[in-house]
Amino acid sequence: MSQALKTSFFLHGGDYNPDQWLEYPEILEKDVELMRRAHVNCVSVGIFAWAALEPEEGKYDFAWLDRVIDRLWKAGIHVDLATPSGARPAWMAQKYPEVLRVREDFTRNHFGTRHNHCPSSPVYREKVRAIDSALAERYGHHPAVLLWHISNEFGGDCRCELCAKRFREFLREKYGSLAELNRSWWTAFWSMRYTDWEQIEPPSTRGQSASPAMWVDWRRFSTKQCRDFIRMEKEAVQKWNPELPVTTNLMHRFGDYDYFSLAEEIDVVSWDSYPAWGSGDDLQVACDHAMEHDLMRSLKRQPFLLMESTPSMVNWHTVNKPKRPGMHLLSSMLPVALGSDSVMYFQWRKGRGGAEMFHGAVVGHDGTGETRTFREVTQVGEALEKLTQLLHSERRAEVCVLYDWQNRWALDYAQMGRRGDQKYLETVNAHYRALWTQGIAVDFCDMREVTDLSSYRLVVAPMLFMLRGGIEEKLRAFAEGGGCLVATYLTGVIGENGLAWLGETPHALTDVLGVRVLEMDTLYDQDACSLVTRDGEERVGPVCEVIDAPDADVIGTYGPEQFYAGTPCLTRHAFGHGKAFYMAARMGQEGLDRFYRKLAEELRLKKALPGRLPEGVVAQERAGWVFLMNFSGAEQRCRLDGRWTDALSGETVSAEALLPVNGVMVLRK
Ligand code: GAL
Ligand code: ZN
């Protein structure tokens, strides 16, 4: 059963590592005082604390954690309690090397860093289960604890013998017989036919590396492994208190596992967002992370938690630039606008040593609350208290963008076009950007059976290379029933198990889209290709399909540069009660912006604010509250209809809102 987080406040706080400061009792005292000053109400404790919790095998030390949690709770601060499985103690790696991960070249890692475990190792599972269970028994009913933080940023995979064995079991279950596997993986190619399950090894740089279908199955398997591990941890902690929800922190643009699938295993979605503000175009930086916020909200169709963000700078970008004044509040309101019920940080206090000693923190090495960062963090804490009514509220979207991890893998592993550079995420983001900058709310869906498109008015399906889960039937029904569908080049090329569809493409959708693909062209950077529409001419590529569109209205044709000059490039087709657009070539941002502006007008899609905002200013709505955010790097004036109150400043705004650099308002009518 899924447990929701039932707080009456936005979580504000972050990763707290008292285990690094046990020899500094005065600092631990001071932390709580500073947290209260910063309006911190929740901290994530114990994420990498295994060595402090179990200094010797089987000997737990909870005394320090008792003191920390009690001290926090006395000050009214809640705890997001972590299981420590993200990093293991040295004694464990020394005694049981099997807990460590085996790499792609089949060599085993040594002790060090973190996120380095084998998910199959029975020893590791046993150790994790034991400590999780001990933690849950001790703290599962502590009034301070409101959430379990399972491990940390699960990622990667292991290729040890145990994992290989599980991979074979996974394949056996999936395909039933070797014959079926051979058929799906097309192993007649290069004489790769398997005659014994034992011949199958994980894909590797030293072995099988050239089977795209196998790679996609490996990623599915890795997802399953991770789900399995999470389930094991979840059961261990919820055994003591089934009411306490669990989360695990997810990552930006992460590709190892299918997050839609992973999210089924947890109660609350949370993730870590580290935009490179000030690196160039802040609007694009914002859009990149906004998409991810909307995606995280979409994973379970419920509010999510921003589990980590930096209060100032990170230490792992190539350039680690602190946030400029105002950016902290602005960048913290962005996730809240898009459905977050928290603003949490990495990290509360900078360590004295270690790899992250120079990573931004609420409290720096000076140890005071007298810094710009501390003041801006406090401001966010105060702001969140003014938005309490928004808590747990959903966002309603009329638009759905299909984004599917399995499709992403299929594109990544396909050896074609611009190999290794299919730009699926960038393409999804470009379509999203054209909608998001207009103030339109967007949901994401993948191709699972549960996906239901019927509540949407516009479905955008960029590069739907793999069709699975019966999505083609859903898209057909959607358009037939009056919806508007936008599809692009590289649609309907392969099926779920990687085999190409035989016959016309886009498979099963040629009549819906009114087009048929004749050829796919890929261009070099120096090659020119353009799209000509009534609005003018723009550059397209490097992927350009040559299509036949006998029944569709041709809105744009290819310019004169290539041999397919004058043939259809952008089409529109009436189907049933609805319509379907097809973009045969990759369009640039300006072209997409223009296309979706027109479409939004035609469909009268709901926007957070009517009219057009200055470039770089974005409005997004959550439950009737409009977040007006200035990412332009300059002061901006926005025209407004009616009288509004800015929930942050308490001031009334009418006719015009003046937004300073990095300014943000949360407007209510
Ligand atoms: C996250 C990680 C944290 C910390 C942070 C630094 O990815 O979960 O433990 O390393 O990055 O930005
Ligand atoms: Zn393994």
Side-chain angles (χ1 to χ4, degrees):
M1 202 183 61
S2 187
Q3 304 297 346
L5 191 63
K6 301 178 200 96
T7 55
S8 55
F9 47 87
F10 277 91
L11 304 187
H12 183 231
D15 282 26
Y16 179 41
N17 304 303
D19 42 308
Q20 293 177 23
W21 295 94
L22 295 178
E23 289 168 11
Y24 300 75
E26 65 297 348
I27 286 196
L28 295 176
E29 287 292 338
K30 184 90 197 255
D31 277 333
V32 175
E33 176 203 323
L34 288 170
M35 283 175 192
R36 289 195 52 91
R37 263 177 71 189
H39 293 242
V40 159
N41 55 31
C42 177
V43 287
S44 306
V45 182
I47 298 179
F48 296 113
W50 203 336
L53 291 170
E54 193 178 355
E56 274 176 64
E57 183 167 13
K59 292 217 175 94
Y60 296 139
D61 177 3
F62 293 128
W64 65 270
L65 188 54
D66 289 350
R67 281 194 298 275
V68 165
I69 296 184
D70 288 343
R71 192 183 301 121
L72 288 165
W73 188 230
K74 229 181 261 155
I77 299 164
H78 291 79
V79 171
D80 163 31
L81 189 57
T83 68
S85 62
R88 63 230 46 76
W91 59 255
M92 194 189 298
Q94 183 180 33
K95 184 163 176 197
Y96 309 103
E98 69 157 71
V99 303
L100 299 171
R101 195 167 280 184
V102 169
R103 307 152 82 106
E104 212 176 308
D105 62 0
F106 297 131
T107 58
R108 196 179 288 278
N109 282 345
H110 288 221
F111 174 71
T113 72
R114 53 178 176 173
H115 303 149
N116 180 18
H117 68 268
C118 163
S120 307
S121 157
V123 174
Y124 197 56
R125 283 177 170 248
E126 193 35 52
K127 296 284 176 205
V128 170
R129 206 179 288 120
I131 194 154
D132 284 7
S133 167
L135 280 168
E137 183 180 4
R138 199 169 184 97
Y139 305 108
H141 288 279
H142 195 294
V145 178
L146 42 82
L147 182 69
W148 283 108
H149 185 295
I150 301 287
S151 205
N152 189 75
E153 295 192 338
F154 280 106
D157 34 41
C158 174
R159 286 163 169 81
C160 75
E161 260 315 310
L162 295 165
C163 288
K165 184 164 170 276
R166 279 173 169 252
F167 183 43
R168 282 175 216 122
E169 284 160 13
F170 165 84
L171 296 171
R172 243 180 219 263
E173 198 180 316
K174 173 164 186 190
Y175 291 105
S177 69
L178 263 185
E180 197 46 44
L181 176 140
N182 280 316
R183 210 169 289 137
S184 285
W185 288 5
W186 203 250
T187 55
F189 176 75
W190 287 352
S191 229
M192 296 199 295
R193 203 162 71 87
Y194 296 102
T195 51
D196 181 346
W197 289 99
E198 293 302 308
Q199 293 159 354
I200 303 175
E201 291 181 322
S204 152
T205 43
R206 286 174 57 203
Q208 187 59 280
S209 63
S211 167
M214 178 199 219
W215 267 114
V216 172
D217 273 340
W218 174 255
R219 296 257 70 89
R220 290 175 175 137
F221 166 70
S222 293
T223 301
K224 181 169 184 281
Q225 285 277 81
C226 185
R227 276 189 73 153
D228 223 59
F229 200 86
I230 292 174
R231 191 178 316 128
M232 181 267 294
E233 290 213 60
K234 185 178 173 178
E235 279 166 11
V237 294
Q238 286 190 337
K239 191 176 112 204
W240 297 95
N241 180 0
E243 302 285 303
L244 217 49
V246 308
T247 188
T248 187
N249 48 339
L250 308 179
M251 287 174 270
H252 178 235
R253 292 191 163 214
F254 187 69
D256 291 357
Y257 315 138
D258 177 346
Y259 274 170
F260 274 106
S261 167
L262 217 65
E264 292 174 356
E265 218 58 69
I266 53 181
D267 299 315
V268 179
V269 167
S270 67
W271 85 286
D272 305 339
S273 168
Y274 292 102
W277 300 114
S279 58
D281 176 3
D282 273 350
L283 180 66
Q284 182 50 39
V285 173
C287 172
D288 179 18
H289 284 258
M291 169 168 135
E292 208 86 10
H293 292 309
D294 271 326
L295 180 58
M296 294 293 161
R297 180 181 53 75
S298 299
L299 293 180
K300 288 185 91 68
R301 291 259 170 286
Q302 70 187 29
F304 62 93
L305 298 176
L306 175 68
M307 186 56 85
E308 292 180 23
S309 63
T310 179
S312 55
M313 67 216 169
V314 296
N315 71 332
W316 49 269
H317 288 165
T318 339
V319 176
N320 297 293
K321 183 175 175 179
K323 288 177 176 172
R324 281 8 206 181
M327 181 47 93
H328 185 55
L329 179 64
L330 172 62
S331 63
S332 299
M333 289 301 105
L334 175 66
V336 174
L338 302 177
S340 178
D341 279 351
S342 72
V343 175
M344 306 275 281
Y345 312 119
F346 181 86
Q347 51 190 334
W348 166 253
R349 184 186 279 274
K350 272 185 195 178
R352 283 195 77 180
E356 295 182 321
M357 64 191 286
F358 298 114
H359 190 290
V362 182
V363 180
H365 293 140
D366 66 304
T368 75
E370 312 311 321
T371 58
R372 180 171 70 87
T373 299
F374 191 92
R375 280 192 295 275
E376 295 199 29
V377 163
T378 308
Q379 193 191 4
V380 167
E382 289 165 349
L384 291 172
E385 286 161 12
K386 297 174 185 159
L387 304 178
T388 310
Q389 281 180 54
L390 262 185
L391 197 66
H392 308 311
S393 63
E394 310 247 349
R395 253 158 74 76
R396 300 255 164 268
E398 296 178 319
V399 181
C400 176
V401 174
L402 285 182
Y403 173 73
D404 187 283
W405 265 270
Q406 305 195 19
N407 184 51
R408 172 172 165 186
W409 300 330
L411 281 159
D412 283 349
Y413 294 119
Q415 306 198 18
M416 61 166 197
R418 289 230 179 163
R419 216 185 121 194
D421 189 22
Q422 311 291 359
K423 296 216 176 345
Y424 177 52
L425 259 170
E426 289 81 349
T427 302
V428 173
N429 189 250
H431 287 255
Y432 173 82
R433 177 173 165 148
L435 294 154
W436 179 74
T437 49
Q438 291 190 69
I440 295 168
V442 171
D443 282 347
F444 288 90
C445 275
D446 71 343
M447 291 188 261
R448 279 168 309 165
E449 314 272 313
V450 293
T451 292
D452 179 3
L453 303 175
S454 61
S455 66
Y456 298 106
R457 300 186 49 225
L458 170 63
V459 169
V460 181
M463 301 172 77
L464 211 60
F465 182 63
M466 168 189 278
L467 301 178
R468 65 181 189 96
I471 195 73
E472 59 278 28
E473 290 313 316
K474 290 178 193 169
L475 292 174
R476 166 182 302 274
F478 172 73
E480 202 155 37
C484 175
L485 168 67
V486 177
T488 75
Y489 51 91
L490 289 178
T491 291
V493 180
I494 65 170
E496 163 140 28
N497 287 335
L499 292 177
W501 297 111
L502 298 180
E504 291 184 341
T505 63
H507 175 74
L509 291 169
T510 46
D511 59 329
V512 178
L513 297 163
V515 304
R516 191 163 63 93
V517 177
L518 305 174
E519 268 193 67
M520 183 182 106
D521 192 16
T522 308
L523 302 171
Y524 286 95
D525 281 346
Q526 69 272 20
D527 293 331
C529 187
S530 61
L531 158 67
V532 184
T533 64
R534 280 224 312 255
D535 300 315
E537 216 181 291
E538 64 167 295
R539 197 176 167 148
V540 292
V543 189
C544 302
E545 282 176 353
V546 187
I547 61 169
D548 187 17
D551 312 321
D553 298 331
V554 177
I555 316 173
T557 51
Y558 282 108
E561 304 85 357
Q562 303 298 332
F563 67 89
Y564 36 91
T567 66
C569 176
L570 180 61
T571 63
R572 173 192 180 114
H573 183 234
F575 185 75
H577 298 287
K579 50 185 166 282
F581 290 86
Y582 193 74
M583 296 176 179
R586 179 171 296 148
M587 289 164 65
Q589 193 64 53
E590 269 177 41
L592 288 174
D593 287 350
R594 207 178 310 120
F595 174 83
Y596 283 107
R597 247 192 327 264
K598 278 192 175 172
L599 194 56
E601 232 164 78
E602 182 184 326
L603 301 175
R604 295 179 195 282
L605 294 177
K606 192 163 180 287
K607 298 180 180 184
L609 287 177
R612 237 170 122 169
L613 292 168
E615 180 71 22
V617 178
V618 177
Q620 283 288 331
E621 187 205 308
R622 178 172 177 188
W625 301 43
V626 176
F627 288 68
L628 191 60
M629 302 170 278
N630 180 8
F631 297 105
S632 71
E635 183 181 283
Q636 298 290 356
R637 289 167 193 280
C638 310
R639 271 195 285 119
L640 294 176
D641 288 337
R643 275 167 71 84
W644 300 77
T645 307
D646 174 12
L648 299 181
S649 68
E651 280 163 23
T652 305
V653 201
S654 55
E656 189 177 77
L658 178 67
L659 286 169
V661 174
N662 299 337
V664 53
M665 290 179 176
V666 183
L667 301 172
R668 304 187 67 189
K669 263 255 154 85

